[in-house]
Amino acid sequence: MKRVALVHDWLTVYAGAERVLEQLLALYPEADLFAVCDFLPEDQRGFLGGRTPHTTFIQHLPGAQRRYRSYLPLMPLAIEQLDLSGYDLVISDPHAVAKGVLTGPHQLHVSYVHTPMRYAWDLQHQYLRESGLDRGLKGALARYALHRLRQWDLRAAAGVDVFVANSRFIARRIRKTYRREAEVVYPPVDVARFAFQADKDDYYLTASRLVPYKRVNLIVEAFARMPDKRLLVVGDGPERSKIEHLAAGRPNIEMRGHVPSEELAGLMARARAFVFAAEEDFGIAPVEAQACGTPVIAYGRGGALETVRGLDAEAPTGVFFDAQTPEAIIKAVRRFEREGAVIRPEACRRNAERFSTQRFREEFAGLVEDAWHRFQTDA
């Protein structure tokens, strides 16, 4: 029986990457789990099934629990210190450094990539601007650190035997960044958790972490110019005060903050449409909305093009806008209200079912077994 190791970047919150890890743990219940650090709150640890992850020296550095990201320049060194020499199969699921674990010629390393490090590659300039690091001495040091991180990332990619991408969009980024081909297995969405509802209320919904790249501010600005249309904003994060300021004095815009998952599912089910302005690698929230039978109004870049079917498609499930601007969102909302009657709640649900957890398990397990067979044959 082959010994399996699962390698995750860091464990700090139960979010999209952790939903993938949850399914990997279900597929390989005897696997050992490794991560750069583990600061998961107690109320979010259930998916680990009582496991205690093996962590790196980052776990014990000063202030790491709150500021672990500030130790990013040390993470390549940290991940390389994990001793995986006793394992036959290594499965990493990186958006940062997890694929950089050291493996030997007798070990198969399969890497399920959420994304190459966006802040180190094509989004470096945006990241530096948004972090206030696009000038001065700190900016120069940050650019040098990211330069060294890119060099290490290429070395780390060379140690991966099989790349798996979470969307065709990410497969293209892997090809561009590492010059490697990747199979595509869409991440798992717990479609069964979302109740289908055909009858809708007269409000629009957006829900996400309130961080810059989610572009929730653009959605709020758009609805501030459409006072006859109601918007609910669900989520919390560092951009919350800025977005609340944009919404202040706008009775049609309601800031809900963080809500329990059950309440969010109910809001999704009753929404007239779900509005999504980010360029995501995959984007779970639009799939969850469709699972409820709710149409999606989305920015037409990234993973949304693979999870939402536009008005020109057979059995459409949403409307795309072509620029991350309030004007483009306004135009898309108005188009949805003119032409959205062709979107059927049943079509939204059927589309979402393409991304179920059972489908993920079957596709990923089959891919790994095929790779293992080839690996053994070639040995």
Side-chain angles (χ1 to χ4, degrees), residues 9-29:
D9 283 315
W10 47 73
L11 291 158
T12 58
V13 65
Y14 179 71
E18 288 67 38
R19 298 184 194 191
V20 171
L21 178 61
E22 182 176 17
Q23 297 306 316
L24 295 178
L25 290 167
L27 277 173
Y28 305 100

Side-chain angles (χ1 to χ4, degrees), residues 290 295 308-318 339 342-345 347-348:
Q290 291 173 88
V308 180
R309 291 173 170 159
L311 288 176
D312 297 332
E314 184 179 349
T317 66
E339 305 175 33
V342 300
I343 301 174
R344 309 306 304 162
C348 294

Side-chain angles (χ1 to χ4, degrees), residues 19 23 188-194 284 288 291 349 355-357:
R19 298 184 194 191
Q23 297 306 316
V189 181
D190 190 3
V191 175
R193 186 169 68 86
F194 294 87
I284 288 178
E288 293 176 337
R349 177 70 181 197
F355 307 100
S356 69
T357 55

Side-chain angles (χ1 to χ4, degrees), residues 6-11 33-38 53-56 59 79 82:
L6 302 178
V7 188
H8 197 66
D9 283 315
W10 47 73
L11 291 158
L33 177 60
F34 296 81
V36 167
C37 56
D38 172 21
H54 302 277
T55 58
T56 72
Q59 181 80 22
I79 204 74
L82 293 173

